[in-house]
Amino acid sequence: MIDPTLAADIREIASLQGTFRLRSGQISRTYFDKYRFEADPALLRRVANEMLPLLPADTEVLAGLELGGVPIATAVSLVTGLPAAFVRKEAKEYGTCLAVEGADVRGKRVVLIEDVITTGGAVADAARLVSAAGADIIGVVCAIWRGNGKPAIAALPDMPVTAAMTAADLGG
């Protein structure tokens, strides 16, 4: 069960009302501005702590998705001591020319870390890149699930997806 004070604090700082287009193309009257809680060290620490028990025991690397999953993966990494990798939306065209930076994921059991998931389109895109880098993706852990029903990603039907909070926990 989510810490009700955390849910209330996230709702207060990050829940915006209006008309918002989500990455999925859906229109929503409520938007969870994850950057507002990710930029607050105390809230970010509390979110990371809520995510810790959701990590599979055999996790070897945390892979934070650009951009919002990166600070969360870093915060979880600091607490667990697990190395972190950072997944770009596409390989950069300079320097290392990699889509997956940081910890080496090749041959490792990797958990994808995301901030807010509605349908999981960005997660499915990142999973392809992380798999192509040689990782064995064993799960997805997100801070907020705002999709319908139980957390799941249609494009990754066999992938376990867990969430620290849901839109219902946040009153949305």
Side-chain angles (χ1 to χ4, degrees):
M1 175 59 94
I2 179 74
D3 169 0
T5 63
L6 176 58
D9 292 345
I10 295 281
R11 183 173 44 252
E12 182 177 327
I13 195 170
S15 183
L16 307 177
Q17 301 301 311
T19 302
F20 303 93
R21 180 181 308 279
L22 306 177
R23 181 192 185 278
S24 64
Q26 297 175 10
I27 302 298
S28 176
R29 294 179 41 136
T30 302
Y31 182 73
F32 299 109
D33 187 346
K34 66 264 184 180
Y35 301 117
R36 290 183 176 200
F37 73 77
E38 291 174 349
D40 180 313
L43 275 177
L44 179 58
R45 179 180 297 111
R46 291 169 64 199
V47 168
N49 284 333
E50 286 289 331
M51 295 172 76
L52 294 178
L54 305 176
L55 295 173
D58 58 345
T59 302
E60 294 180 296
V61 177
L62 305 166
L65 279 62
E66 181 185 348
L67 176 66
V70 169
I72 296 172
T74 302
V76 174
S77 174
L78 286 169
V79 175
T80 62
L82 291 168
F86 310 111
V87 186
R88 296 176 179 276
K89 292 179 180 153
E90 59 186 41
K92 61 184 184 174
E93 296 181 5
Y94 56 91
T96 60
C97 299
L98 297 173
V100 181
E101 302 273 5
D104 184 8
V105 299
R106 188 177 19 260
K108 303 284 192 207
R109 290 181 302 276
V110 175
V111 172
L112 302 180
I113 303 291
E114 181 61 305
D115 48 16
V116 180
I117 299 175
T118 303
T119 63
V123 176
D125 293 345
R128 284 187 282 281
L129 295 170
V130 175
S131 291
D136 175 19
I137 302 170
I138 60 172
V140 177
V141 177
C142 68
I144 301 170
W145 170 256
R146 65 168 291 137
N148 295 319
K150 179 181 167 215
I153 298 170
L156 303 170
D158 298 324
M159 184 66 60
V161 180
T162 56
M165 295 167 272
T166 65
D169 292 326
L170 300 172

